[in-house]
Amino acid sequence: MQTKLFIGGEFVDAADGGTFETIDPHDGSVLAHVAEARREDVDRAVAAARKAFPHWSRMPAADRGRLLLKLADAIEADVENLALLETRDTGHPLRDTFNLDVPRTAATFRYFGGMADKFQGTVVPVEAGFLDYVVPQPLGVIGQIVPWNFPVMFVSWKLGPALAAGNCVVMKPSEVTPLTALRIAELAAEVGFPPGVINMVPGYGQTAGQRLVEHPDVAKLSFTGSTSVGKQIAKGAADTLKQVHLELGGKGANIVFADAQLEAAVNGTAFGIFHNQGQACIAASRLIVHESVKDEFLDRLVTLADSIRVGDPKDRTTEMGPLTSKLHWDRVISYLDVAGQEGGTLLAGGRAPNEPALADGYYIRPTIVETSPDARVAREEVFGPFMVVHTFKTDEEALEIANSVDYGLGGGLWTSDLVRAHKTARELRAGMVWVNSYKRFNPGSPFGGVGLSGYGREMGFEAMREYTEPKATWINVDAALPPFYPRG
């Protein structure tokens, strides 16, 4: 378990020697004391990245790609260690970190490793006598801030395209879950990444994060987290006119039409909201179900929710672990009070488990509440295993409810009608839409939202474009061309 800052290819203590605790959410015990980056540490990391940039950006793209592929291999070889580390730091069940999170992390690095030498420029047909070509060029030093809910995966989502495009990175992992990010930095050093290309500075947002936002030598800031913090970052970045990418909150609409295959819809809905304890910006947190199938659908969904095995995330039979921090547990629990005050009907969950073995952890049962679309719990992001239920009569009403919030990250729908599927997908206000599925993603498909869910995209060619800027070069290929303003 690595606990120091990673700057310029070395693990070092914080300049002032400060540390913070990272906590095991299963029982509240201290996992480790991690070096806390502050302003001076971020400045050192940015300087190291600036020093490394000329060599890294000019390295043949295929060579950059080979290093990313080696890192993917190293992650796969370290799957047992990384998965357990992620589970202990986040509370995410080991069955998921081992089978989903770590393999997806390796897959993302492998995707961008393969893309590094395939990201091409263009030739533009301009006037006769000139060749005009446009080449994507790396931006320089990229600041990246990753959240605590899927820390190991988000490291690859951000590092992969930025490094493949030729940038150097200073990343601030969340102070809540820094351990797997530091392990990936360690693996990157082992496979041969040059010093300074990757720098890890775990710390708090108001210190380390703020310094990345305001640092004049950071060309772009990529942030995943809450909408409120995203707004602050956008304002802070304006002083240096740095580019900003914001992947923020969500309040996903999940529409079940009367002609849906109910078994598939129930299973997909449960996965969409209860996977990773609902701590996902794309969670299916708003169920919008047709009135004709509501009773049967909810009977099945509540039965499934009550059967989910909540327990120690290190147990491979556990299906839902604890929330990641006590602070967040308090926040989710507070929304139960809000739902009751607003007249919501509790259909499932709404409490912590009764098992004594879980008493010291940050656990909550899968929760389903039927309420009005205007209720706070239906409009604000709870970010937990907390689903609200609404009903509808017509397709138009379903879309009106789905599009009534200010978020626009992901949404889903379940139907056997192909025309309805395409029409509803087109009309949903979201950056991603799933039909007869939910919460699917792939390194090749762009990930991001609209409205209060932010702007910019992770993954795919879109991410590579956002970590570069197009440079146009004009070449006069006809020396006999007269000057534009002939004389005499």
Side-chain angles (χ1 to χ4, degrees):
M1 187 187 299
Q2 186 55 250
T3 60
K4 295 185 177 182
L5 312 180
F6 186 68
I7 298 175
E10 297 181 344
F11 283 99
V12 297
D13 292 323
D16 66 359
T19 64
F20 60 86
E21 295 178 343
T22 183
I23 303 297
D24 185 333
H26 166 61
D27 57 12
S29 63
V30 176
L31 271 177
H33 291 85
V34 179
E36 180 194 344
R38 290 180 174 267
R39 182 186 182 96
E40 182 178 345
D41 304 298
V42 172
D43 288 349
R44 290 160 58 203
V46 172
R50 283 194 68 193
K51 183 179 179 180
F53 177 69
H55 170 70
W56 179 251
S57 61
R58 292 170 188 152
M59 180 186 290
D63 292 344
R64 293 198 300 266
R66 274 190 285 272
L67 282 172
L68 286 166
L69 295 175
K70 286 183 178 180
L71 180 55
D73 291 341
I75 288 169
E76 286 183 337
D78 197 48
V79 60
E80 293 277 359
N81 179 52
L82 269 172
L84 182 57
L85 201 59
E86 185 83 338
T87 290
R88 295 187 68 195
D89 212 13
T90 66
H92 197 175
L94 187 59
R95 61 186 289 169
D96 289 336
T97 58
F98 183 85
N99 294 312
L100 295 177
D101 296 4
V102 176
R104 286 171 171 175
T105 300
T108 301
F109 279 120
R110 185 164 286 116
Y111 176 86
F112 287 108
M115 187 192 288
D117 62 353
K118 300 171 185 66
F119 190 58
Q120 301 174 344
T122 57
V123 175
V124 182
V126 293
E127 58 260 39
F130 286 89
L131 168 67
D132 183 87
Y133 62 88
V134 181
V135 177
Q137 293 196 313
L139 300 173
V141 178
I142 308 296
Q144 298 180 330
I145 301 175
V146 295
W148 48 259
N149 55 326
F150 288 99
V152 71
M153 283 202 307
F154 283 133
V155 167
S156 66
W157 286 24
K158 293 194 182 296
L159 278 184
L163 297 176
N167 301 284
C168 295
V169 173
V170 178
M171 176 176 284
K172 190 197 85 64
S174 169
E175 72 280 4
V176 179
T177 56
L179 297 179
T180 46
L182 292 170
R183 176 57 180 159
I184 287 179
E186 192 169 30
L187 293 174
E190 290 175 3
V191 302
F193 275 81
V197 172
I198 299 172
N199 303 273
M200 291 286 177
V201 287
Y204 292 92
Q206 63 268 30
T207 50
Q210 182 61 33
R211 182 53 181 161
L212 273 177
V213 171
E214 67 188 21
H215 200 296
D217 293 331
V218 172
K220 177 170 183 168
L221 195 290
S222 179
F223 170 78
T224 298
S226 71
T227 297
S228 59
V229 174
K231 290 178 179 180
Q232 296 174 30
I233 287 173
K235 293 176 182 176
D239 288 340
T240 54
L241 289 180
K242 61 170 51 70
Q243 297 184 33
V244 177
H245 163 226
L246 301 174
E247 198 272 279
L248 307 176
K251 195 69 177 175
N254 183 43
I255 306 172
V256 178
F257 290 97
D259 61 351
Q261 295 183 9
L262 292 192
E263 183 176 359
V266 168
N267 288 328
T269 295
F271 177 79
I273 182 59
F274 299 131
H275 173 244
N276 197 29
Q277 299 76 255
Q279 296 170 138
C281 49
I282 56 173
S285 53
R286 292 185 297 147
L287 172 62
I288 306 168
V289 59
H290 193 273
E291 62 180 12
S292 67
V293 296
K294 169 195 170 185
D295 291 342
E296 180 182 358
F297 187 88
L298 289 178
D299 283 345
R300 294 189 185 193
L301 182 62
V302 169
T303 299
L304 193 159
D306 288 341
S307 73
I308 291 175
R309 292 189 293 273
V310 179
D312 185 343
K314 297 185 292 299
D315 183 338
R316 287 182 183 264
T317 66
T318 292
E319 295 172 318
M320 203 174 92
L323 301 188
T324 300
S325 72
K326 177 62 164 59
L327 182 66
H328 188 59
W329 185 88
D330 289 339
R331 182 178 184 273
V332 174
I333 289 294
S334 73
Y335 274 103
L336 293 171
D337 295 333
V338 172
Q341 293 164 7
E342 293 180 324
T345 301
L346 184 67
L347 304 179
R351 56 179 172 79
N354 295 324
E355 293 87 338
L358 308 181
D360 294 329
Y362 314 138
Y363 290 90
I364 184 172
R365 295 289 311 170
T367 297
I368 303 172
V369 175
E370 186 171 6
T371 190
S372 162
D374 296 327
R376 273 185 61 195
V377 292
R379 305 187 66 83
E380 299 177 8
E381 186 178 35
V382 178
F383 212 69
F386 190 112
M387 169 179 280
V388 296
V389 180
H390 316 306
T391 57
F392 69 95
K393 295 180 180 180
T394 66
D395 292 12
E396 292 75 19
E397 184 183 6
L399 275 168
E400 182 180 355
I401 295 171
N403 292 335
S404 66
V405 299
D406 295 325
Y407 295 103
L409 189 57
L413 60 117
W414 303 82
T415 180
S416 298
D417 187 323
L418 184 62
V419 173
R420 170 182 282 140
H422 283 290
K423 180 179 180 182
T424 306
R426 182 190 66 200
E427 298 298 328
L428 273 175
R429 184 173 175 266
M432 299 164 288
V433 177
W434 299 279
V435 178
N436 293 331
S437 63
Y438 205 97
K439 205 177 177 184
R440 308 296 301 182
F441 55 88
N442 182 278
S445 181
F447 185 106
V450 298
L452 290 188
S453 293
Y455 47 79
R457 293 295 181 267
E458 312 271 19
M459 316 274 242
F461 277 89
E462 284 77 7
M464 289 283 285
R465 292 189 186 98
E466 295 200 5
Y467 283 112
T468 61
E469 52 192 1
K471 184 175 184 177
T473 300
W474 289 69
I475 298 178
N476 182 346
V477 297
D478 187 350
L481 278 175
F484 188 73
Y485 295 108
R487 299 181 182 278

